[in-house]
Amino acid sequence: MSRWEPNARGRLEQAALELYGESGFESTTVAEITKRAGLTERTFFRHFADKREVLFAGAGALQEMLVSKVNDAPASLPPIEAIATALHEVADAVFEERREFARRRQAAIAANAELQERELIKLASLSSALADALRERGVADPAASLAAEAGIAVFKIAFERWTNDTGERALSQLIRESMDELKLVTGGQPLTTRR
Amino acid sequence: MSRWEPNARGRLEQAALELYGESGFESTTVAEITKRAGLTERTFFRHFADKREVLFAGAGALQEMLVSKVNDAPASLPPIEAIATALHEVADAVFEERREFARRRQAAIAANAELQERELIKLASLSSALADALRERGVADPAASLAAEAGIAVFKIAFERWTNDTGERALSQLIRESMDELKLVTGGQPLTTRR
Protein backbone atom coordinates (compact mmCIF):
# COMPACT_ATOMS: atom_id res chain seq x y z
CA MET A 1 0.00 0.00 0.00
CA SER A 2 2.58 2.54 1.06
CA ARG A 3 4.67 4.14 -1.61
CA TRP A 4 7.55 6.54 -1.60
CA GLU A 5 6.47 10.14 -2.01
CA PRO A 6 9.12 12.58 -3.20
CA ASN A 7 9.92 15.01 -0.34
CA ALA A 8 6.82 13.95 1.60
CA ARG A 9 8.21 15.38 4.82
CA GLY A 10 8.93 18.78 3.32
CA ARG A 11 5.50 18.94 1.68
CA LEU A 12 3.79 18.05 4.95
CA GLU A 13 5.80 20.69 6.83
CA GLN A 14 4.96 23.34 4.28
CA ALA A 15 1.25 22.46 4.20
CA ALA A 16 1.08 22.37 8.02
CA LEU A 17 2.81 25.73 8.43
CA GLU A 18 0.58 27.36 5.81
CA LEU A 19 -2.52 26.08 7.57
CA TYR A 20 -1.30 27.09 11.05
CA GLY A 21 -0.82 30.58 9.63
CA GLU A 22 -4.22 30.70 7.93
CA SER A 23 -6.48 28.99 10.48
CA GLY A 24 -4.36 28.77 13.60
CA PHE A 25 -2.63 25.72 15.07
CA GLU A 26 -5.59 24.77 17.24
CA SER A 27 -8.16 24.44 14.48
CA THR A 28 -5.94 22.76 11.90
CA THR A 29 -6.44 18.98 11.54
CA VAL A 30 -4.04 16.35 10.25
CA ALA A 31 -6.64 15.56 7.55
CA GLU A 32 -6.41 19.16 6.30
CA ILE A 33 -2.63 19.05 6.31
CA THR A 34 -2.45 15.86 4.27
CA LYS A 35 -5.12 17.10 1.87
CA ARG A 36 -3.17 20.31 1.25
CA ALA A 37 0.03 18.32 0.77
CA GLY A 38 -1.66 15.81 -1.53
CA LEU A 39 -0.60 12.93 0.74
CA THR A 40 -2.31 10.39 2.99
CA GLU A 41 -2.66 10.52 6.78
CA ARG A 42 -0.73 7.28 6.80
CA THR A 43 2.22 9.13 5.28
CA PHE A 44 1.82 11.96 7.80
CA PHE A 45 2.06 9.58 10.74
CA ARG A 46 5.13 7.91 9.25
CA HIS A 47 6.88 11.26 9.66
CA PHE A 48 5.25 12.92 12.68
CA ALA A 49 3.59 11.65 15.86
CA ASP A 50 1.03 14.48 15.76
CA LYS A 51 0.53 17.98 14.38
CA ARG A 52 2.61 19.55 17.15
CA GLU A 53 5.57 17.38 16.16
CA VAL A 54 5.76 19.22 12.82
CA LEU A 55 7.02 22.19 14.85
CA PHE A 56 9.30 20.35 17.28
CA ALA A 57 10.61 17.33 15.36
CA GLY A 58 14.01 19.01 14.89
CA ALA A 59 14.59 19.68 18.61
CA GLY A 60 16.44 16.44 19.37
CA ALA A 61 18.76 16.76 16.38
CA LEU A 62 19.46 20.42 17.21
CA GLN A 63 20.42 19.50 20.76
CA GLU A 64 22.71 16.69 19.59
CA MET A 65 24.43 18.97 17.08
CA LEU A 66 25.01 21.74 19.60
CA VAL A 67 26.35 19.36 22.23
CA SER A 68 28.66 17.63 19.76
CA LYS A 69 30.02 20.98 18.59
CA VAL A 70 30.71 22.06 22.16
CA ASN A 71 32.44 18.71 22.71
CA ASP A 72 34.57 19.26 19.61
CA ALA A 73 35.58 22.85 20.44
CA PRO A 74 39.28 23.32 21.32
CA ALA A 75 39.87 22.80 25.03
CA SER A 76 41.46 26.24 25.29
CA LEU A 77 38.26 28.00 24.24
CA PRO A 78 36.47 29.83 27.09
CA PRO A 79 33.05 28.29 27.90
CA ILE A 80 30.99 31.10 26.40
CA GLU A 81 33.09 30.99 23.21
CA ALA A 82 32.61 27.24 22.91
CA ILE A 83 28.86 27.79 23.05
CA ALA A 84 28.96 30.78 20.69
CA THR A 85 30.95 28.73 18.15
CA ALA A 86 28.42 25.89 18.34
CA LEU A 87 25.53 28.33 17.85
CA HIS A 88 27.21 30.00 14.85
CA GLU A 89 27.92 26.68 13.16
CA VAL A 90 24.38 25.38 13.67
CA ALA A 91 22.92 28.70 12.50
CA ASP A 92 24.85 28.47 9.23
CA ALA A 93 24.46 24.72 8.68
CA VAL A 94 20.82 24.26 9.67
CA PHE A 95 18.80 27.45 9.95
CA GLU A 96 20.02 29.83 7.29
CA GLU A 97 18.36 27.93 4.44
CA ARG A 98 15.16 27.44 6.45
CA ARG A 99 14.36 31.04 7.20
CA GLU A 100 10.88 30.95 5.70
CA PHE A 101 10.03 27.80 7.65
CA ALA A 102 11.47 29.37 10.82
CA ARG A 103 9.40 32.54 10.28
CA ARG A 104 6.16 30.62 9.91
CA ARG A 105 7.00 28.35 12.79
CA GLN A 106 7.73 31.33 15.04
CA ALA A 107 4.41 32.95 14.08
CA ALA A 108 2.50 29.75 14.87
CA ILE A 109 4.20 29.47 18.25
CA ALA A 110 3.68 33.14 19.11
CA ALA A 111 -0.07 32.70 18.56
CA ASN A 112 -0.53 29.72 20.90
CA ALA A 113 0.17 29.53 24.63
CA GLU A 114 0.61 25.75 24.69
CA LEU A 115 3.21 25.92 21.91
CA GLN A 116 5.03 28.72 23.70
CA GLU A 117 5.28 26.47 26.76
CA ARG A 118 6.59 23.62 24.64
CA GLU A 119 9.19 25.98 23.13
CA LEU A 120 10.28 27.11 26.61
CA ILE A 121 10.74 23.48 27.63
CA LYS A 122 12.79 22.82 24.48
CA LEU A 123 15.07 25.79 25.23
CA ALA A 124 15.45 24.75 28.89
CA SER A 125 16.43 21.27 27.75
CA LEU A 126 19.00 22.74 25.33
CA SER A 127 20.43 24.88 28.12
CA SER A 128 20.65 21.92 30.46
CA ALA A 129 22.39 19.76 27.80
CA LEU A 130 24.89 22.54 27.04
CA ALA A 131 25.65 22.98 30.75
CA ASP A 132 26.34 19.23 30.97
CA ALA A 133 28.65 19.47 27.94
CA LEU A 134 30.57 22.31 29.61
CA ARG A 135 30.90 20.31 32.85
CA GLU A 136 32.36 17.48 30.73
CA ARG A 137 34.97 20.02 29.60
CA GLY A 138 35.86 20.67 33.23
CA VAL A 139 33.92 23.91 33.67
CA ALA A 140 32.81 24.33 37.29
CA ASP A 141 29.36 25.40 38.42
CA PRO A 142 27.80 27.95 38.50
CA ALA A 143 29.90 29.02 35.47
CA ALA A 144 28.70 26.05 33.39
CA SER A 145 25.01 26.73 34.06
CA LEU A 146 25.41 30.48 33.63
CA ALA A 147 27.28 30.18 30.32
CA ALA A 148 24.66 27.75 29.01
CA GLU A 149 21.75 29.96 30.14
CA ALA A 150 23.43 33.04 28.67
CA GLY A 151 24.08 31.21 25.38
CA ILE A 152 20.47 30.07 25.08
CA ALA A 153 19.19 33.55 25.96
CA VAL A 154 21.36 34.98 23.17
CA PHE A 155 20.16 32.29 20.75
CA LYS A 156 16.50 32.88 21.62
CA ILE A 157 16.71 36.63 21.21
CA ALA A 158 18.81 36.46 18.03
CA PHE A 159 16.38 33.91 16.60
CA GLU A 160 13.40 36.16 17.28
CA ARG A 161 15.19 39.09 15.65
CA TRP A 162 16.13 36.92 12.68
CA THR A 163 12.56 35.74 12.07
CA ASN A 164 11.19 39.27 12.50
CA ASP A 165 13.94 40.97 10.52
CA THR A 166 12.84 42.42 7.23
CA GLY A 167 16.46 42.76 6.18
CA GLU A 168 18.59 39.83 5.19
CA ARG A 169 21.08 39.65 8.05
CA ALA A 170 22.23 36.11 8.71
CA LEU A 171 21.24 34.40 11.97
CA SER A 172 24.90 33.89 12.86
CA GLN A 173 25.49 37.62 12.53
CA LEU A 174 22.57 38.38 14.84
CA ILE A 175 23.91 35.81 17.33
CA ARG A 176 27.26 37.60 17.23
CA GLU A 177 25.61 40.99 17.78
CA SER A 178 23.45 39.72 20.64
CA MET A 179 26.47 38.09 22.27
CA ASP A 180 28.41 41.37 22.06
CA GLU A 181 25.39 43.20 23.44
CA LEU A 182 25.16 40.76 26.33
CA LYS A 183 28.80 41.48 27.17
CA LEU A 184 28.05 45.21 27.27
CA VAL A 185 24.90 44.62 29.31
CA THR A 186 26.49 42.37 31.92
CA GLY A 187 29.48 44.72 32.03
CA GLY A 188 27.00 47.24 33.42
CA GLN A 189 27.26 49.61 30.45
CA PRO A 190 25.39 52.67 31.75
CA LEU A 191 22.12 53.61 30.10
CA THR A 192 23.26 57.11 29.19
CA THR A 193 26.05 55.96 26.89
CA ARG A 194 23.79 53.59 25.00
CA ARG A 195 22.47 54.43 21.55
CA MET B 1 -20.23 28.34 59.25
CA SER B 2 -16.86 29.69 58.28
CA ARG B 3 -14.61 30.91 61.02
CA TRP B 4 -11.31 32.64 61.13
CA GLU B 5 -8.43 30.18 61.58
CA PRO B 6 -5.17 31.61 62.91
CA ASN B 7 -2.55 31.46 60.13
CA ALA B 8 -4.67 29.08 58.05
CA ARG B 9 -2.69 29.88 54.91
CA GLY B 10 0.66 29.14 56.53
CA ARG B 11 -0.62 25.91 58.05
CA LEU B 12 -2.00 24.76 54.70
CA GLU B 13 1.29 25.59 52.97
CA GLN B 14 3.29 23.71 55.56
CA ALA B 15 1.02 20.65 55.46
CA ALA B 16 1.01 20.62 51.64
CA LEU B 17 4.79 20.88 51.37
CA GLU B 18 5.28 18.14 53.97
CA LEU B 19 2.95 15.82 52.07
CA TYR B 20 4.50 16.64 48.66
CA GLY B 21 7.84 15.65 50.17
CA GLU B 22 6.51 12.45 51.75
CA SER B 23 4.15 11.11 49.06
CA GLY B 24 4.92 13.23 46.01
CA PHE B 25 2.87 16.07 44.56
CA GLU B 26 0.90 13.80 42.24
CA SER B 27 -0.53 11.49 44.88
CA THR B 28 -1.29 14.13 47.51
CA THR B 29 -4.95 15.17 47.75
CA VAL B 30 -6.47 18.38 49.06
CA ALA B 31 -8.31 16.25 51.64
CA GLU B 32 -4.99 14.99 53.00
CA ILE B 33 -3.59 18.51 53.12
CA THR B 34 -6.52 19.89 55.08
CA LYS B 35 -6.54 16.90 57.43
CA ARG B 36 -2.83 17.38 58.19
CA ALA B 37 -3.42 21.11 58.72
CA GLY B 38 -6.48 20.49 60.89
CA LEU B 39 -8.60 22.67 58.60
CA THR B 40 -11.52 22.19 56.21
CA GLU B 41 -11.40 21.90 52.43
CA ARG B 42 -13.59 24.97 52.39
CA THR B 43 -10.79 26.88 54.08
CA PHE B 44 -8.25 25.45 51.62
CA PHE B 45 -10.23 26.69 48.64
CA ARG B 46 -10.60 30.11 50.20
CA HIS B 47 -6.82 30.42 49.94
CA PHE B 48 -5.83 28.32 46.90
CA ALA B 49 -7.52 27.38 43.61
CA ASP B 50 -5.95 23.92 43.69
CA LYS B 51 -3.00 22.02 45.16
CA ARG B 52 -0.61 23.39 42.51
CA GLU B 53 -1.46 26.92 43.56
CA VAL B 54 0.16 26.30 46.94
CA LEU B 55 3.47 26.30 45.05
CA PHE B 56 2.79 29.20 42.67
CA ALA B 57 0.46 31.54 44.56
CA GLY B 58 3.33 33.97 45.18
CA ALA B 59 4.32 34.34 41.51
CA GLY B 60 2.12 37.33 40.73
CA ALA B 61 3.21 39.27 43.82
CA LEU B 62 6.87 38.45 43.12
CA GLN B 63 6.55 39.79 39.59
CA GLU B 64 4.83 42.98 40.77
CA MET B 65 7.51 43.58 43.41
CA LEU B 66 10.40 43.07 40.98
CA VAL B 67 8.84 45.32 38.35
CA SER B 68 8.07 48.06 40.86
CA LYS B 69 11.64 47.95 42.18
CA VAL B 70 13.04 48.23 38.64
CA ASN B 71 10.68 51.17 38.08
CA ASP B 72 11.90 52.82 41.28
CA ALA B 73 15.62 52.36 40.57
CA PRO B 74 17.54 55.58 39.86
CA ALA B 75 17.45 56.43 36.13
CA SER B 76 21.25 56.53 36.03
CA LEU B 77 21.56 52.86 37.01
CA PRO B 78 22.66 50.55 34.15
CA PRO B 79 19.91 48.06 33.17
CA ILE B 80 21.60 45.01 34.68
CA GLU B 81 22.21 46.89 37.93
CA ALA B 82 18.57 47.94 38.11
CA ILE B 83 17.60 44.28 37.85
CA ALA B 84 20.27 43.13 40.28
CA THR B 85 19.10 45.70 42.84
CA ALA B 86 15.50 44.52 42.47
CA LEU B 87 16.57 40.89 42.93
CA HIS B 88 18.64 41.68 46.03
CA GLU B 89 15.82 43.62 47.66
CA VAL B 90 13.25 40.91 46.98
CA ALA B 91 15.66 38.22 48.18
CA ASP B 92 16.07 39.99 51.51
CA ALA B 93 12.46 41.12 51.94
CA VAL B 94 10.64 37.98 50.80
CA PHE B 95 12.77 34.87 50.52
CA GLU B 96 15.32 34.99 53.30
CA GLU B 97 12.81 34.17 56.03
CA ARG B 98 11.18 31.48 53.90
CA ARG B 99 14.18 29.31 53.21
CA GLU B 100 12.65 26.12 54.57
CA PHE B 101 9.51 26.65 52.49
CA ALA B 102 11.66 27.41 49.43
CA ARG B 103 13.70 24.24 49.96
CA ARG B 104 10.65 22.02 50.16
CA ARG B 105 9.01 23.78 47.26
CA GLN B 106 12.13 23.32 45.11
CA ALA B 107 12.28 19.61 45.98
CA ALA B 108 8.61 19.13 45.04
CA ILE B 109 9.15 20.89 41.72
CA ALA B 110 12.34 18.98 40.92
CA ALA B 111 10.42 15.71 41.31
CA ASN B 112 7.58 16.54 38.90
CA ALA B 113 7.84 17.35 35.18
CA GLU B 114 4.56 19.26 35.04
CA LEU B 115 5.63 21.50 37.94
CA GLN B 116 9.00 22.10 36.28
CA GLU B 117 7.17 23.31 33.19
CA ARG B 118 5.00 25.59 35.28
CA GLU B 119 8.14 26.99 36.95
CA LEU B 120 9.74 27.64 33.54
CA ILE B 121 6.63 29.53 32.45
CA LYS B 122 6.71 31.57 35.65
CA LEU B 123 10.37 32.50 35.08
CA ALA B 124 9.71 33.36 31.41
CA SER B 125 6.87 35.60 32.49
CA LEU B 126 9.15 37.31 35.06
CA SER B 127 11.79 37.85 32.37
CA SER B 128 9.26 39.30 29.98
CA ALA B 129 7.85 41.67 32.64
CA LEU B 130 11.37 42.84 33.58
CA ALA B 131 12.21 43.47 29.90
CA ASP B 132 9.06 45.59 29.62
CA ALA B 133 10.08 47.52 32.73
CA LEU B 134 13.51 48.21 31.22
CA ARG B 135 11.94 49.39 27.95
CA GLU B 136 9.85 51.79 30.03
CA ARG B 137 13.16 53.16 31.33
CA GLY B 138 14.25 53.81 27.74
CA VAL B 139 16.47 50.75 27.32
CA ALA B 140 16.56 49.65 23.67
CA ASP B 141 16.21 46.08 22.44
CA PRO B 142 17.92 43.65 22.37
CA ALA B 143 19.63 45.08 25.49
CA ALA B 144 16.35 45.11 27.45
CA SER B 145 15.54 41.47 26.67
CA LEU B 146 19.12 40.34 27.22
CA ALA B 147 19.46 42.08 30.58
CA ALA B 148 16.13 40.61 31.72
CA GLU B 149 17.05 37.08 30.55
CA ALA B 150 20.48 37.36 32.16
CA GLY B 151 18.94 38.61 35.41
CA ILE B 152 16.44 35.74 35.55
CA ALA B 153 19.17 33.19 34.71
CA VAL B 154 21.22 34.54 37.62
CA PHE B 155 18.18 34.47 39.91
CA LYS B 156 17.30 30.89 38.91
CA ILE B 157 20.81 29.57 39.44
CA ALA B 158 21.36 31.48 42.69
CA PHE B 159 18.00 30.25 43.95
CA GLU B 160 18.90 26.63 43.22
CA ARG B 161 22.23 27.07 45.00
CA TRP B 162 20.49 28.72 47.95
CA THR B 163 17.97 25.91 48.39
CA ASN B 164 20.69 23.23 47.99
CA ASP B 165 23.25 25.04 50.11
CA THR B 166 24.00 23.37 53.41
CA GLY B 167 25.72 26.54 54.60
CA GLU B 168 23.83 29.62 55.57
CA ARG B 169 24.78 32.06 52.85
CA ALA B 170 22.01 34.54 52.12
CA LEU B 171 20.19 34.38 48.79
CA SER B 172 21.20 37.97 48.03
CA GLN B 173 24.86 37.01 48.48
CA LEU B 174 24.46 34.09 46.07
CA ILE B 175 22.74 36.40 43.58
CA ARG B 176 25.71 38.77 43.85
CA GLU B 177 28.19 35.92 43.32
CA SER B 178 26.29 34.52 40.33
CA MET B 179 26.06 37.98 38.78
CA ASP B 180 29.83 38.43 39.18
CA GLU B 181 30.37 34.98 37.72
CA LEU B 182 28.15 35.81 34.75
CA LYS B 183 30.28 38.89 34.09
CA LEU B 184 33.41 36.74 34.05
CA VAL B 185 31.72 34.13 31.87
CA THR B 186 30.39 36.55 29.27
CA GLY B 187 33.70 38.37 29.33
CA GLY B 188 35.10 35.12 27.91
CA GLN B 189 37.26 34.37 30.94
CA PRO B 190 39.39 31.47 29.68
CA LEU B 191 38.88 28.06 31.24
CA THR B 192 42.53 27.73 32.27
CA THR B 193 42.45 30.67 34.64
CA ARG B 194 39.36 29.44 36.42
CA ARG B 195 39.49 27.82 39.85
Side-chain angles (χ1 to χ4, degrees):
Chain A
M1 291 278 285
S2 88
R3 60 205 175 89
W4 184 76
E5 294 283 357
N7 191 25
R9 190 181 179 90
R11 283 158 64 194
L12 289 165
E13 280 182 351
Q14 171 143 6
L17 270 288
E18 280 173 18
L19 286 160
Y20 298 166
E22 292 164 19
S23 334
F25 171 80
E26 202 57 56
S27 12
T28 300
T29 65
V30 169
E32 288 167 335
I33 295 169
T34 53
K35 190 178 168 205
R36 171 84 53 113
L39 294 165
T40 62
E41 293 197 26
R42 193 184 177 118
T43 302
F44 180 93
F45 289 113
R46 256 205 311 278
H47 290 280
F48 303 105
D50 55 37
K51 65 177 182 172
R52 201 179 69 168
E53 265 306 287
V54 180
L55 301 169
F56 294 98
L62 173 62
Q63 184 164 317
E64 272 176 40
M65 273 188 78
L66 284 171
V67 165
S68 106
K69 288 187 185 303
V70 168
N71 291 341
D72 294 349
S76 61
L77 222 52
I80 195 77
E81 299 300 334
I83 287 183
T85 302
L87 293 174
H88 290 309
E89 289 180 14
V90 168
D92 288 338
V94 177
F95 290 108
E96 206 50 47
E97 63 181 23
R98 284 169 64 79
R99 186 167 182 152
E100 196 48 42
F101 176 82
R103 274 201 177 125
R104 290 181 176 193
R105 179 182 178 280
Q106 206 74 352
I109 290 174
N112 183 292
E114 183 207 325
L115 297 176
Q116 285 168 39
E117 295 177 10
R118 182 71 189 72
E119 181 76 351
L120 283 177
I121 294 159
K122 187 191 88 175
L123 292 171
S125 163
L126 279 181
S127 172
S128 166
L130 289 175
D132 284 344
L134 290 177
R135 284 182 206 108
E136 288 278 317
R137 290 168 68 87
V139 180
D141 263 319
S145 308
L146 285 164
E149 290 277 342
I152 291 302
V154 160
F155 179 68
K156 180 184 160 192
I157 286 162
F159 203 88
E160 281 167 9
R161 293 179 74 199
W162 180 63
T163 51
N164 290 327
D165 201 3
T166 48
E168 289 304 318
R169 283 185 295 177
L171 175 58
S172 59
Q173 187 191 334
L174 291 165
I175 291 172
R176 209 177 315 270
E177 285 178 21
S178 291
M179 195 62 91
D180 290 344
E181 188 84 21
L182 180 66
K183 282 179 201 178
L184 292 179
V185 160
T186 55
Q189 180 91 338
L191 182 58
T192 44
T193 70
R194 300 192 42 70
R195 79 186 104 84
Chain B
M1 292 275 287
S2 88
R3 60 204 174 89
W4 184 77
E5 293 282 357
N7 192 25
R9 190 181 179 92
R11 283 158 64 193
L12 289 164
E13 278 181 350
Q14 170 142 7
L17 271 289
E18 280 174 17
L19 286 161
Y20 299 165
E22 292 164 20
S23 334
F25 171 78
E26 203 57 56
S27 12
T28 299
T29 64
V30 169
E32 288 167 335
I33 296 170
T34 53
K35 191 179 167 204
R36 171 84 53 113
L39 295 165
T40 63
E41 294 199 26
R42 193 186 178 114
T43 301
F44 180 93
F45 290 113
R46 254 205 311 277
H47 289 281
F48 303 105
D50 54 38
K51 65 176 179 171
R52 201 179 70 169
E53 266 305 288
V54 179
L55 301 169
F56 293 99
L62 173 61
Q63 183 163 319
E64 271 175 40
M65 271 188 81
L66 284 170
V67 165
S68 106
K69 289 189 184 301
V70 168
N71 290 342
D72 294 348
S76 61
L77 221 52
I80 196 76
E81 300 301 334
I83 287 183
T85 302
L87 293 174
H88 290 310
E89 289 180 15
V90 168
D92 288 338
V94 177
F95 291 108
E96 208 49 49
E97 63 181 22
R98 282 169 66 79
R99 187 167 183 153
E100 196 48 42
F101 176 82
R103 275 201 177 126
R104 290 180 175 197
R105 178 181 179 280
Q106 206 75 352
I109 289 174
N112 182 292
E114 183 207 325
L115 297 176
Q116 285 168 40
E117 295 177 9
R118 182 69 188 74
E119 181 76 351
L120 283 176
I121 294 160
K122 187 192 88 176
L123 291 171
S125 164
L126 280 181
S127 172
S128 168
L130 288 176
D132 283 344
L134 289 177
R135 284 183 206 107
E136 288 277 318
R137 289 168 69 85
V139 180
D141 263 319
S145 308
L146 285 164
E149 291 277 340
I152 291 303
V154 160
F155 179 69
K156 180 184 161 192
I157 287 162
F159 203 89
E160 280 166 11
R161 295 178 73 199
W162 180 63
T163 52
N164 291 326
D165 201 4
T166 48
E168 289 303 318
R169 283 185 296 177
L171 175 58
S172 60
Q173 187 190 335
L174 291 165
I175 290 172
R176 209 177 315 269
E177 286 178 22
S178 291
M179 194 62 91
D180 289 345
E181 188 83 21
L182 180 66
K183 281 179 199 176
L184 293 178
V185 160
T186 56
Q189 180 92 336
L191 182 56
T192 44
T193 68
R194 300 190 44 68
R195 78 188 105 82

